[in-house]
Amino acid sequence: MKGRAIVYKKDHINTDEIIPARYLNTDRQEELALHAMEDLDLNFKEKTKWGSILVAGENFGCGSSREHAVWALRGAGIKAIVCESFARIFYRNCINNGFLAIECKNASKYINDGDIIELNLKEGELKIKTTEQVLRFQPLPKFALEIIESGGLMSYISKGGKF
């Protein structure tokens, strides 16, 4: 998987910054996407294109357990998130919704806005194409990759997936 990085060199980006509570009156990701990250970055919509990968610091997605945060980012064209660490509920929401979330130490220190990055999910390797630097991460467990590849937990279960 390859994409252009949108980087926030910040820790503790919470779900209210990802999608403010005032927009939780819908579950349509296209509508949520219109307001994704707007309290943190008014230019977010302009930065996203299908195929973008969001990069941030530690504890991304802390705060509430709203799944809307994942839907808003996916609707905005983000295809994966790479962070130093995730809040546990947000991380599980990503997997359950078939959205790729990778924990990679020092990612926000070495990746800059606009860098092209490439993820090798099986090898646990993140390559920064701009600098040819390689970072390592713990590959996702097989069952988590299967859930993501199925499009989410419900789809995985309906296809006969097992735990």
Side-chain angles (χ1 to χ4, degrees), residues 11-30:
D11 297 333
H12 314 293
I13 294 176
N14 65 55
T15 52
D16 210 39
E17 291 172 304
I18 298 168
I19 183 68
R22 62 187 175 275
Y23 301 114
L24 299 182
N25 53 4
T26 183
D27 60 0
R28 297 184 48 152
Q29 67 181 27
E30 304 82 25

Side-chain angles (χ1 to χ4, degrees), residues 35-84:
H35 307 287
M37 306 289 277
E38 75 178 23
D39 286 352
L40 187 64
D41 182 358
L42 287 174
N43 297 316
F44 182 74
K45 285 187 294 192
E46 296 168 23
K47 294 178 181 177
T48 60
K49 295 180 180 167
W50 285 106
S52 297
I53 298 173
L54 194 148
V55 178
E58 294 183 3
N59 199 28
F60 187 87
C62 59
S64 80
S65 60
R66 63 182 73 144
E67 291 183 277
H68 299 71
V70 174
W71 304 335
L73 293 175
R74 184 172 51 209
I78 301 297
K79 67 179 182 183
I81 304 174
V82 176
C83 293
E84 314 241 348

Side-chain angles (χ1 to χ4, degrees), residues 110-112 115-117 127-134:
Y110 293 107
I111 301 170
N112 293 305
D115 281 349
I116 302 298
I117 57 176
K127 183 181 273 186
I128 307 168
K129 301 296 276 183
T130 315
T131 61
E132 292 299 320
Q133 193 166 15
V134 175

Side-chain angles (χ1 to χ4, degrees), residues 1-8 18 37 44 47-56 60 69-84 86 90-91 94-95 97-104 107 111 115 117-121 125-126 137 140 145 148:
M1 172 182 294
K2 190 184 335 184
R4 183 175 304 278
I6 299 172
V7 181
Y8 297 97
I18 298 168
M37 306 289 277
F44 182 74
K47 294 178 181 177
T48 60
K49 295 180 180 167
W50 285 106
S52 297
I53 298 173
L54 194 148
V55 178
F60 187 87
V70 174
W71 304 335
L73 293 175
R74 184 172 51 209
I78 301 297
K79 67 179 182 183
I81 304 174
V82 176
C83 293
E84 314 241 348
F86 289 94
F90 179 85
Y91 183 77
C94 287
I95 302 297
N97 283 282
F99 193 64
L100 184 59
I102 300 291
E103 286 187 334
C104 182
I111 301 170
D115 281 349
I117 57 176
E118 187 173 279
L119 300 170
N120 181 329
L121 301 178
E125 185 179 284
L126 183 157
F137 61 87
L140 292 173
L145 284 174
I148 290 169

